Amino acid sequence: MENGKPVKIVLPEIKDPILIEGYPGIGLVGHIAANFLAKELGMEMVGYVESPFIPPMALILEGKPNPPLRFYGKDNIILAVADIYVPPTLVSEIAKELVRYLKDMNAAKVISLGGIGIGLFKEKMDVWGVGAREELNKELENFGVKILQYGSIMGMSGKLLWEASKEGLDAYVLLGETFGDRPDPRAAANVVEVLKKLTPIEVSTEPLIKEAEMIEEQLRKMHEQMEQARRKTEKQYESIYL
Amino acid sequence: MENGKPVKIVLPEIKDPILIEGYPGIGLVGHIAANFLAKELGMEMVGYVESPFIPPMALILEGKPNPPLRFYGKDNIILAVADIYVPPTLVSEIAKELVRYLKDMNAAKVISLGGIGIGLFKEKMDVWGVGAREELNKELENFGVKILQYGSIMGMSGKLLWEASKEGLDAYVLLGETFGDRPDPRAAANVVEVLKKLTPIEVSTEPLIKEAEMIEEQLRKMHEQMEQARRKTEKQYESIYL
Amino acid sequence: MENGKPVKIVLPEIKDPILIEGYPGIGLVGHIAANFLAKELGMEMVGYVESPFIPPMALILEGKPNPPLRFYGKDNIILAVADIYVPPTLVSEIAKELVRYLKDMNAAKVISLGGIGIGLFKEKMDVWGVGAREELNKELENFGVKILQYGSIMGMSGKLLWEASKEGLDAYVLLGETFGDRPDPRAAANVVEVLKKLTPIEVSTEPLIKEAEMIEEQLRKMHEQMEQARRKTEKQYESIYL
Amino acid sequence: MENGKPVKIVLPEIKDPILIEGYPGIGLVGHIAANFLAKELGMEMVGYVESPFIPPMALILEGKPNPPLRFYGKDNIILAVADIYVPPTLVSEIAKELVRYLKDMNAAKVISLGGIGIGLFKEKMDVWGVGAREELNKELENFGVKILQYGSIMGMSGKLLWEASKEGLDAYVLLGETFGDRPDPRAAANVVEVLKKLTPIEVSTEPLIKEAEMIEEQLRKMHEQMEQARRKTEKQYESIYL
Amino acid sequence: MENGKPVKIVLPEIKDPILIEGYPGIGLVGHIAANFLAKELGMEMVGYVESPFIPPMALILEGKPNPPLRFYGKDNIILAVADIYVPPTLVSEIAKELVRYLKDMNAAKVISLGGIGIGLFKEKMDVWGVGAREELNKELENFGVKILQYGSIMGMSGKLLWEASKEGLDAYVLLGETFGDRPDPRAAANVVEVLKKLTPIEVSTEPLIKEAEMIEEQLRKMHEQMEQARRKTEKQYESIYL
């Protein structure tokens, strides 16, 4: 890079922005939520991250080339999206450059979306969260979010939370409970529902719920077929040997 | 490097150039097409890429030494060719330096040639493509190219497409359908046929088709011999045991 | 980093400070002791270490985000704490930057807390120590500390001892004897008891002792159950075969 | 290095030099030829390559310390010799620095010596070669050298050929045919015979031929003994079982 | 490091110094000899090597912290000692910085001590050596040292020999013959005896000989016990089966 920095954030001036981050993680919760928002809100690509350490590639979306780490924008909302796994050192540098930009632009809010793997299914899957300050936690609690008191948040969400907190920005992390071993649009919907209370965003999460139901229906059918196959084999076995 | 950059593009001033890139990839489609063009159009080596990260070596072609990453030129056409696998970080740096040069030279077009592995044979193997802008996609569609709506293009072709798009250049990627497990001159011919419509290049792809037929003939013979051997063994087996 | 250094120590001016270091090590003795002190003395986070080589993450403690390498402070006491393993090169750089700060601030004392694995249990587990100068060893001896005459102290404690010694600071390392295969709050308590004599810190180590007793009680129960199970199996075996 | 370069060529001013390179490679052909020339022509060490990436070591030759990458000189002839394997990036940097020096000194010729593995023995083992320009190839052909039309030359010989060609120097590579699995003084002799025609060097290759014959004689004896042992075992076997 | 160098030699001005190097190597000959000299001559630590690539640690010797790479001094004698394995790139940089210092200080002599593994025991284990110039070899020969005519000396001893030779310093390497698989105080004594002739150092090597005899006595006893055990087993075997 010209100035010796390993990453460069290319973004236009967007005053008082709300940044929403949805890099890939457990259950792809943040990734699904962010891509859903970009599409449903009709957001445009407004910027990207440049670095020699990002793999050389173009993502083709709707017949147009895109860089793998990019930003979508509409009004004062900026969405940070990644289509690849980002190595730790790069995460650190991106988070720092991004917070510098957000600070310069007088950011209103910095919200990271992600998942928290719980390894089980519950009737009501909760959303956990934590903010930069006590008051933000209170705000989250009022919106039905369970406050994460102890734990560690790895990757972009954790680093962004800390770096933004350090600079006095209103930073939040929202983590939707998810089983943890598969993409989870329902957890993404849960997280977006909280996001709607934190921001002026208006969107129906119906499509995410439908997608979730479709996936669940497929899994149910697969299980049923396996169960039938098992029973059939058992019967054949019995008819031969008994 | 003197200026601290990991790569240096050495190229003379060529105004309003059309750059055609054919680095190695699936089916060696771009590589075969580019080398075919260099030879058939009687192009001269006009430049090369310098970097301490390129393996130390000389390629001997027609009794003359050549660097592994080089450019051929004729009139305003520049051909980017590589004889080795280029590591990702180097690809990123080369693409950026190259786009800088093309921008300075007011490039007319930037066209990457490559293959797309489909794992099967069809009567008519198509050419897929994508351009930097909607209008370029329309232009490609008119030439019978199938537009890639979603997907990722890795390596030099993807990076060049994105970097050139970003700078407002008219960039295209053309990907010839290929089985994917062998060098494919026929896919190269298909790609060159589209290239001829996009550029003033005039060339017969007959030699590529002949080469393809020769390879196909050899494979057919090999299969026949294996089939005969199999049948013979079967007969012997039968005559002994039945 | 802006100035080309791989680490940056962010700390306010604290005059004539006493630095206590408790990075993770054998038996987590230093880590347990430092976290115990931070909590019992009601210390606030006052600084942190910045580096692109520290994994991107936030530690959530009492519902607030924290960086993994941080400093707690109260009056002139600074506590250096880490929640992750710190790679060797980073340890070297942190130690040097920290000693630079301590020298500038005219540090009164630099005390590293850790464990020394002895692989056995004794009625009285000792605390070993070594200071930057002969007089400091005498001081430690008067406090009942056994002086380490020969050996090597790896990691932050060793590096800090040497770097601080070199700059003429009053540096000490205190190592509590511990079995070595498990977290050991009792060894932490032993080390804190010596620390109280070296500094104006006043604190009861009762909670650490209680925690130790709880762990020991759990281990005892586990052993008993295993012993009972073993005897039961033996008896069954006898009743069958004899 | 003081100037930020990873290698430094230390050589006195030698005007209009002829550089002969014999770094280790297939059959150690270049290495044997170069060391033979240094000794037979009574050349002195006149320079060396410096780099932190060269392993720390001294080569003791005739009771005197030498660096592993060094230059011998006599009149305007410079011999580049290496006693260790040189990693690719270092090769690139050395070649570039060396060509810079040769260009400054107005080099007359740059000749790389090496082997080409053919995996068989022939009555007459040829020498292959290639020059920077068509005229140099003609010159080589007149000396009985077979011209390499297509192929790749790896390592120092290839890189030096290309870098010197690029700067308009008269560069050659000479490759003696060799079986490829053992040091081959006869191939070295063949290469030196061509070198004598290209340069004012006068030397008898008799010692190399004698060394080759000695090695060949030893191999012949070894084979004979193995053959006899095989026959003896066969006979014993027959006398017992038949 | 402040000036961009990977290592820094910290040493006071010592005019016309004699440097003796004893970094760890085969049979720990140099290491044992150097530590023996430091102790017997009552030398003080006078300097050290600083580098972020040296593992973070402190060596505690006689109750005081020491850096792992350090210098002892007395009058104009400087002893270079290491307690850890030093990686190759670091060796190169240390050697160069050290020779720079020695050159500035107008060093009288630079003597490396080490071992040479011979894999056998002889009545008289020799000391091999090599100097920077023919005259130094003659001097060594007069002291009963066998001159190393051909071979390679790896690591600090080899690099120091070459770098010091290059700068016109009187450099020597002394290598005591040793079996090679165990620490060898007797080889260290042999090397020190030569060193005494090369320098004004006066010291009795009696303690080293005693240490050697002790080790040898222990090994002899161990062998005897193993032999007895073997014979006993044989007898029992015979009494049962014969």
Side-chain angles (χ1 to χ4, degrees):
Chain A
M1 309 251 75
E2 287 85 57
N3 52 359
K5 283 184 187 168
V7 300
K8 195 174 134 190
I9 301 284
V10 179
L11 262 176
E13 290 224 339
I14 298 175
K15 289 290 172 194
D16 310 316
I18 294 173
L19 183 106
I20 300 164
E21 173 258 321
Y23 274 29
I26 289 177
L28 286 178
V29 177
H31 184 73
I32 294 171
N35 281 300
F36 168 75
L37 289 170
K39 197 180 156 199
E40 293 291 314
L41 301 179
M43 298 175 88
E44 293 289 312
M45 193 186 88
V46 293
Y48 48 88
V49 181
E50 258 190 22
S51 169
F53 304 112
I54 297 174
M57 64 182 293
L59 246 106
I60 310 303
L61 299 171
E62 300 179 350
K64 273 163 69 180
N66 293 272
L69 273 65
R70 60 193 179 281
F71 301 101
Y72 289 95
K74 194 180 179 186
D75 303 329
N76 73 329
I77 292 183
I78 306 175
L79 213 56
V81 164
D83 284 291
I84 54 163
Y85 165 80
V86 187
T89 309
L90 214 52
V91 166
S92 285
E93 299 288 350
I94 294 170
K96 291 195 75 172
E97 289 296 313
L98 195 51
V99 166
R100 196 168 306 185
Y101 167 86
L102 292 169
K103 181 96 174 141
D104 287 352
M105 293 299 120
N106 190 31
K109 273 173 180 165
V110 182
I111 308 167
S112 287
L113 309 182
I116 186 166
I118 58 172
L120 55 86
F121 295 103
K122 301 189 299 185
E123 190 63 37
K124 187 179 160 292
M125 296 295 259
D126 290 303
V127 174
W128 292 79
V130 64
R133 290 173 289 117
E134 190 52 33
E135 302 84 70
L136 306 187
N137 283 352
K138 293 238 170 78
E139 190 189 358
L140 289 176
E141 241 174 346
N142 290 339
F143 295 150
V145 174
K146 286 184 150 185
I147 301 307
L148 189 71
Q149 291 292 344
Y150 290 92
S152 62
I153 304 177
M154 306 302 295
M156 184 54 84
S157 300
K159 187 67 178 169
L160 207 50
L161 175 64
W162 163 246
E163 291 291 334
S165 299
K166 206 177 70 182
E167 298 299 329
L169 301 180
D170 282 1
Y172 308 76
V173 174
L174 298 178
L175 304 171
E177 287 186 343
T178 179
F179 190 85
D181 66 343
R182 69 200 69 173
D184 189 348
R186 198 179 285 272
N190 292 340
V191 159
V192 170
E193 287 302 336
V194 176
L195 184 70
K196 282 159 68 177
K197 295 174 188 159
L198 272 175
T199 63
I201 289 174
E202 286 176 36
V203 70
S204 163
T205 54
E206 201 58 38
L208 285 175
I209 302 295
K210 286 226 173 100
E211 202 185 323
E213 283 169 353
M214 225 166 63
I215 295 179
E216 285 154 13
E217 181 61 26
Q218 282 173 344
L219 287 173
R220 189 158 38 234
K221 274 189 192 154
M222 224 171 71
H223 281 149
E224 246 168 53
Q225 285 164 2
M226 283 169 66
E227 187 57 16
Q228 281 176 358
R230 196 181 60 76
R231 284 203 210 118
K232 203 171 159 186
T233 313
E234 263 181 22
K235 270 196 195 146
Q236 288 176 331
Y237 184 88
E238 284 170 11
S239 62
I240 296 172
Y241 290 90
L242 302 179
Chain B
M1 308 252 76
E2 287 84 55
N3 52 359
K5 283 185 186 167
V7 300
K8 195 174 134 191
I9 302 283
V10 180
L11 262 175
E13 291 223 339
I14 298 175
K15 290 290 173 195
D16 310 316
I18 293 172
L19 183 106
I20 300 164
E21 173 259 321
Y23 273 29
I26 288 177
L28 286 178
V29 177
H31 185 72
I32 293 171
N35 280 299
F36 168 74
L37 290 170
K39 197 180 156 200
E40 292 291 313
L41 302 179
M43 298 176 87
E44 294 289 312
M45 194 185 88
V46 293
Y48 48 88
V49 182
E50 256 190 23
S51 169
F53 303 112
I54 297 174
M57 64 183 294
L59 247 105
I60 310 303
L61 300 171
E62 299 179 351
K64 275 163 67 180
N66 293 271
L69 273 65
R70 59 193 179 280
F71 300 101
Y72 289 96
K74 194 180 178 186
D75 304 329
N76 73 329
I77 292 182
I78 306 174
L79 214 56
V81 164
D83 284 291
I84 54 163
Y85 165 80
V86 187
T89 308
L90 214 52
V91 165
S92 285
E93 299 288 351
I94 293 171
K96 291 195 75 172
E97 289 296 313
L98 195 51
V99 167
R100 196 168 305 186
Y101 167 86
L102 292 169
K103 180 96 175 143
D104 287 353
M105 292 298 121
N106 189 31
K109 274 173 180 165
V110 182
I111 307 167
S112 286
L113 309 182
I116 185 167
I118 58 171
L120 55 86
F121 295 104
K122 303 190 298 186
E123 192 62 37
K124 186 179 160 294
M125 296 295 259
D126 291 301
V127 174
W128 291 80
V130 64
R133 290 173 291 118
E134 190 51 34
E135 301 85 71
L136 305 188
N137 282 353
K138 292 236 170 79
E139 189 189 359
L140 289 177
E141 241 174 346
N142 290 339
F143 295 150
V145 173
K146 286 185 150 183
I147 301 307
L148 188 72
Q149 292 292 345
Y150 290 92
S152 62
I153 303 177
M154 307 302 295
M156 183 55 84
S157 299
K159 187 66 178 171
L160 206 50
L161 175 65
W162 163 246
E163 291 290 335
S165 300
K166 207 177 68 182
E167 297 299 329
L169 300 180
D170 282 2
Y172 308 76
V173 173
L174 298 178
L175 303 172
E177 287 185 344
T178 179
F179 190 85
D181 66 344
R182 68 200 69 172
D184 189 348
R186 199 180 285 274
N190 291 342
V191 159
V192 170
E193 287 301 337
V194 176
L195 184 69
K196 282 159 68 177
K197 295 174 188 158
L198 272 175
T199 62
I201 289 174
E202 286 176 37
V203 70
S204 163
T205 54
E206 202 57 38
L208 285 175
I209 302 294
K210 286 227 173 99
E211 202 185 322
E213 283 168 353
M214 226 168 62
I215 293 178
E216 285 154 13
E217 181 61 26
Q218 282 174 344
L219 287 173
R220 189 156 41 234
K221 275 191 192 154
M222 224 171 71
H223 281 149
E224 247 168 52
Q225 285 165 1
M226 283 169 64
E227 186 59 15
Q228 282 176 359
R230 195 182 59 79
R231 283 202 209 119
K232 205 171 154 186
T233 313
E234 263 182 22
K235 270 195 194 147
Q236 289 177 329
Y237 185 87
E238 285 170 9
S239 63
I240 296 172
Y241 289 89
L242 302 178
Chain C
M1 308 252 73
E2 287 84 58
N3 52 359
K5 282 184 186 168
V7 300
K8 195 174 134 191
I9 301 284
V10 180
L11 263 175
E13 291 223 340
I14 299 175
K15 290 289 172 195
D16 310 316
I18 294 173
L19 183 106
I20 300 165
E21 173 259 320
Y23 274 30
I26 290 176
L28 287 178
V29 177
H31 184 72
I32 294 171
N35 281 301
F36 168 75
L37 289 170
K39 196 179 157 200
E40 293 291 313
L41 302 178
M43 298 176 87
E44 294 289 313
M45 194 185 88
V46 293
Y48 49 87
V49 181
E50 258 190 23
S51 169
F53 304 112
I54 297 174
M57 64 182 293
L59 246 104
I60 310 303
L61 300 171
E62 299 178 350
K64 273 163 69 180
N66 293 272
L69 274 66
R70 60 193 179 280
F71 300 102
Y72 289 95
K74 193 181 179 187
D75 303 329
N76 72 329
I77 292 183
I78 306 174
L79 213 57
V81 164
D83 283 290
I84 53 164
Y85 165 79
V86 187
T89 308
L90 213 52
V91 166
S92 285
E93 299 288 351
I94 294 171
K96 292 196 74 172
E97 288 296 313
L98 195 50
V99 167
R100 195 167 304 184
Y101 168 85
L102 292 169
K103 181 95 175 141
D104 286 353
M105 293 298 120
N106 189 33
K109 275 175 179 164
V110 181
I111 308 167
S112 287
L113 309 182
I116 185 166
I118 58 172
L120 56 84
F121 295 103
K122 301 189 300 185
E123 191 62 37
K124 188 181 159 292
M125 296 295 259
D126 290 302
V127 173
W128 291 80
V130 64
R133 291 172 291 117
E134 190 52 33
E135 301 84 71
L136 305 187
N137 283 351
K138 292 237 170 79
E139 189 189 359
L140 289 176
E141 240 173 347
N142 290 340
F143 295 149
V145 173
K146 286 184 149 185
I147 302 307
L148 189 71
Q149 291 292 343
Y150 291 91
S152 62
I153 303 176
M154 307 302 296
M156 184 54 85
S157 300
K159 186 68 177 170
L160 206 51
L161 175 64
W162 163 246
E163 291 290 334
S165 299
K166 208 177 68 184
E167 298 299 330
L169 301 180
D170 282 2
Y172 307 76
V173 173
L174 298 178
L175 304 171
E177 287 185 343
T178 179
F179 190 85
D181 67 343
R182 71 200 68 174
D184 189 348
R186 197 179 287 272
N190 292 340
V191 158
V192 170
E193 287 301 337
V194 176
L195 183 71
K196 282 159 67 177
K197 295 174 188 159
L198 272 174
T199 62
I201 289 174
E202 285 177 37
V203 70
S204 163
T205 54
E206 201 57 37
L208 285 175
I209 301 295
K210 286 225 173 101
E211 200 184 324
E213 283 169 352
M214 226 167 63
I215 294 178
E216 285 154 13
E217 181 61 26
Q218 281 173 344
L219 288 173
R220 190 158 38 236
K221 275 189 191 153
M222 222 170 73
H223 281 149
E224 246 167 55
Q225 285 165 359
M226 282 168 67
E227 187 58 15
Q228 281 177 357
R230 195 182 60 78
R231 284 204 208 118
K232 204 172 157 187
T233 313
E234 263 182 21
K235 270 195 194 146
Q236 288 176 329
Y237 184 87
E238 285 170 9
S239 64
I240 295 171
Y241 290 90
L242 302 179
Chain D
M1 308 249 77
E2 287 83 57
N3 52 0
K5 283 184 186 168
V7 300
K8 195 175 135 190
I9 302 284
V10 180
L11 262 175
E13 290 223 339
I14 298 174
K15 289 290 171 194
D16 310 316
I18 294 173
L19 183 106
I20 300 164
E21 173 260 319
Y23 273 30
I26 288 176
L28 286 178
V29 177
H31 185 73
I32 294 171
N35 281 300
F36 168 75
L37 289 170
K39 197 180 157 200
E40 292 292 313
L41 302 179
M43 298 175 87
E44 294 289 314
M45 194 185 88
V46 294
Y48 48 88
V49 181
E50 256 189 24
S51 169
F53 304 112
I54 298 174
M57 64 182 295
L59 247 104
I60 310 303
L61 300 171
E62 299 179 351
K64 274 162 67 179
N66 294 271
L69 273 65
R70 59 193 179 281
F71 301 101
Y72 289 96
K74 194 181 179 186
D75 305 329
N76 72 329
I77 292 182
I78 307 174
L79 213 57
V81 164
D83 284 290
I84 53 162
Y85 165 79
V86 186
T89 308
L90 214 51
V91 166
S92 285
E93 299 288 350
I94 294 171
K96 292 196 74 173
E97 289 296 312
L98 196 50
V99 167
R100 196 168 302 186
Y101 167 86
L102 292 168
K103 181 97 175 141
D104 287 353
M105 293 297 122
N106 189 32
K109 273 172 179 165
V110 182
I111 308 167
S112 286
L113 309 181
I116 184 166
I118 58 172
L120 55 84
F121 294 104
K122 300 190 300 186
E123 192 62 37
K124 187 180 160 295
M125 297 295 260
D126 291 302
V127 174
W128 290 80
V130 64
R133 290 172 291 117
E134 190 52 33
E135 301 85 70
L136 305 187
N137 282 352
K138 292 236 170 79
E139 190 189 359
L140 289 176
E141 241 174 345
N142 290 339
F143 295 150
V145 173
K146 286 185 150 184
I147 301 308
L148 188 71
Q149 292 292 344
Y150 290 91
S152 62
I153 304 177
M154 306 302 296
M156 184 54 84
S157 300
K159 186 68 178 171
L160 206 50
L161 175 64
W162 163 246
E163 291 290 334
S165 300
K166 207 177 67 182
E167 297 298 329
L169 301 180
D170 283 2
Y172 307 77
V173 172
L174 298 177
L175 304 171
E177 287 185 344
T178 179
F179 190 85
D181 66 344
R182 69 200 69 173
D184 189 347
R186 198 179 286 272
N190 291 341
V191 159
V192 170
E193 287 301 338
V194 176
L195 184 70
K196 282 160 67 178
K197 294 173 188 160
L198 272 176
T199 62
I201 290 174
E202 285 177 36
V203 71
S204 164
T205 54
E206 201 57 37
L208 284 174
I209 302 293
K210 286 226 173 100
E211 202 185 321
E213 283 169 352
M214 227 168 61
I215 294 178
E216 285 154 13
E217 181 61 25
Q218 282 174 343
L219 287 173
R220 188 156 41 234
K221 274 190 192 155
M222 224 171 70
H223 280 150
E224 247 169 52
Q225 286 165 0
M226 282 170 65
E227 187 58 17
Q228 283 177 358
R230 195 184 58 80
R231 285 202 209 116
K232 206 171 155 186
T233 314
E234 264 182 19
K235 271 196 194 145
Q236 289 176 329
Y237 185 87
E238 286 170 10
S239 63
I240 295 172
Y241 289 89
L242 302 178
Chain E
M1 308 250 76
E2 286 84 58
N3 52 0
K5 283 184 185 168
V7 300
K8 195 174 135 190
I9 302 284
V10 180
L11 262 176
E13 291 223 340
I14 298 174
K15 289 289 172 194
D16 310 315
I18 294 173
L19 183 106
I20 300 165
E21 173 259 320
Y23 273 30
I26 290 176
L28 286 179
V29 178
H31 185 73
I32 294 171
N35 281 300
F36 168 75
L37 289 170
K39 196 180 158 199
E40 293 291 313
L41 301 179
M43 298 175 87
E44 293 289 313
M45 194 186 90
V46 293
Y48 49 87
V49 181
E50 257 189 24
S51 169
F53 303 112
I54 298 174
M57 64 183 293
L59 247 104
I60 309 304
L61 300 171
E62 299 178 351
K64 274 163 67 180
N66 294 272
L69 274 65
R70 59 194 179 279
F71 301 102
Y72 289 95
K74 194 184 180 184
D75 303 330
N76 71 330
I77 292 182
I78 306 174
L79 213 57
V81 164
D83 284 290
I84 53 162
Y85 165 80
V86 187
T89 308
L90 213 52
V91 166
S92 285
E93 299 288 351
I94 294 171
K96 293 197 74 173
E97 289 297 311
L98 195 50
V99 167
R100 195 168 303 186
Y101 168 85
L102 292 168
K103 181 97 174 142
D104 287 353
M105 293 298 121
N106 189 33
K109 275 173 179 163
V110 182
I111 308 167
S112 286
L113 309 182
I116 184 167
I118 59 172
L120 55 85
F121 295 103
K122 301 189 300 186
E123 191 60 39
K124 188 181 158 293
M125 296 295 259
D126 291 302
V127 173
W128 291 79
V130 64
R133 290 172 291 117
E134 189 52 32
E135 302 84 70
L136 306 187
N137 283 351
K138 293 237 170 78
E139 189 189 0
L140 289 177
E141 240 173 346
N142 290 339
F143 295 149
V145 173
K146 286 185 150 185
I147 302 307
L148 188 72
Q149 291 292 345
Y150 291 92
S152 62
I153 303 176
M154 306 303 296
M156 184 53 86
S157 300
K159 186 67 179 170
L160 206 50
L161 175 63
W162 163 246
E163 291 290 334
S165 300
K166 207 177 68 182
E167 297 299 330
L169 301 180
D170 283 2
Y172 307 76
V173 173
L174 298 178
L175 303 172
E177 287 185 345
T178 180
F179 190 86
D181 66 343
R182 69 200 69 174
D184 189 347
R186 197 179 288 271
N190 292 341
V191 158
V192 170
E193 287 301 337
V194 176
L195 184 71
K196 282 160 65 179
K197 295 174 188 159
L198 272 174
T199 62
I201 290 173
E202 285 177 36
V203 71
S204 163
T205 54
E206 201 58 37
L208 284 175
I209 302 294
K210 285 225 174 101
E211 202 185 321
E213 284 169 352
M214 227 166 63
I215 292 178
E216 286 154 13
E217 181 61 25
Q218 281 174 343
L219 287 174
R220 190 157 40 235
K221 274 190 192 154
M222 224 171 72
H223 280 150
E224 246 168 54
Q225 286 165 359
M226 282 169 65
E227 186 57 17
Q228 283 176 358
R230 195 183 58 80
R231 286 205 208 116
K232 205 171 154 187
T233 313
E234 263 182 22
K235 271 196 195 146
Q236 288 177 329
Y237 185 88
E238 285 170 10
S239 64
I240 295 172
Y241 288 90
L242 301 179

